[in-house]
Amino acid sequence: QVQLVESGGGLVQAGGSLRLSCAASGRTFSTLSMGWFRQAPGKEREFIAAIRWSDGSAHSADSVKGRFTISRDNAKNTVYLQMNSLKPEDTAVYYCAAGRYSGSYLHLHQYYSIWGQGTQVTVSE
């Protein structure tokens, strides 16, 4: 069973940057699509970005496009989320997720079967 562990969250000022990492255990990482989601208090879980295992293609939500970048290193069983130009509204718990699906609906959390415990990102004014 694959397990995911996020790291890299913290407190940063608006305009700053953070890089989140999500390390996966197990030998099947290269055949898993990976996604990042976030959830702020009182709000629904929100899709941030995803990267497919099948062709390495990535896409991100409009709210973070141009600021956040997802990437993966299959040799290290790790997926990253580089976050630049952070805004206070980016404050949330960030979760990485994994699943075998590689179609057009990776923005939907239902297509992921494995979730990490989350890491807090707080962006101050």
Side-chain angles (χ1 to χ4, degrees):
Q1 177 72 5
V2 174
Q3 293 184 324
L4 305 176
V5 179
E6 300 101 333
S7 61
L11 174 64
V12 64
Q13 288 188 328
S17 298
L18 283 174
R19 188 177 79 157
L20 303 183
S21 299
C22 175
S25 63
R27 301 181 178 180
T28 60
F29 180 78
S30 62
T31 60
L32 294 173
S33 293
M34 302 297 296
W36 285 98
F37 291 75
R38 68 186 180 190
Q39 189 165 20
K43 294 188 177 181
E44 294 186 352
R45 185 165 26 185
E46 177 188 10
F47 167 75
I48 299 301
I51 186 165
R52 293 180 176 82
W53 70 264
S54 54
D55 60 4
S57 60
H59 69 284
S60 57
D62 288 343
S63 59
V64 303
K65 201 160 289 184
R67 298 189 299 124
F68 292 10
T69 303
I70 188 172
S71 62
R72 66 190 296 161
D73 186 336
N74 288 342
K76 296 183 178 180
N77 280 15
T78 301
V79 63
Y80 304 98
L81 185 68
Q82 178 66 45
M83 305 186 295
N84 300 327
S85 302
L86 282 160
K87 305 174 182 180
E89 51 264 42
D90 294 319
T91 295
V93 177
Y94 284 70
Y95 298 91
C96 73
R100 300 207 180 276
Y101 177 76
S102 63
S104 303
Y105 298 102
L106 283 174
H107 59 287
L108 300 177
H109 65 85
Q110 295 93 327
Y111 286 88
Y112 298 87
S113 56
I114 305 165
W115 292 81
Q117 82 288 350
T119 186
Q120 176 71 45
V121 171
T122 303
V123 184
S124 63
E125 297 279 355

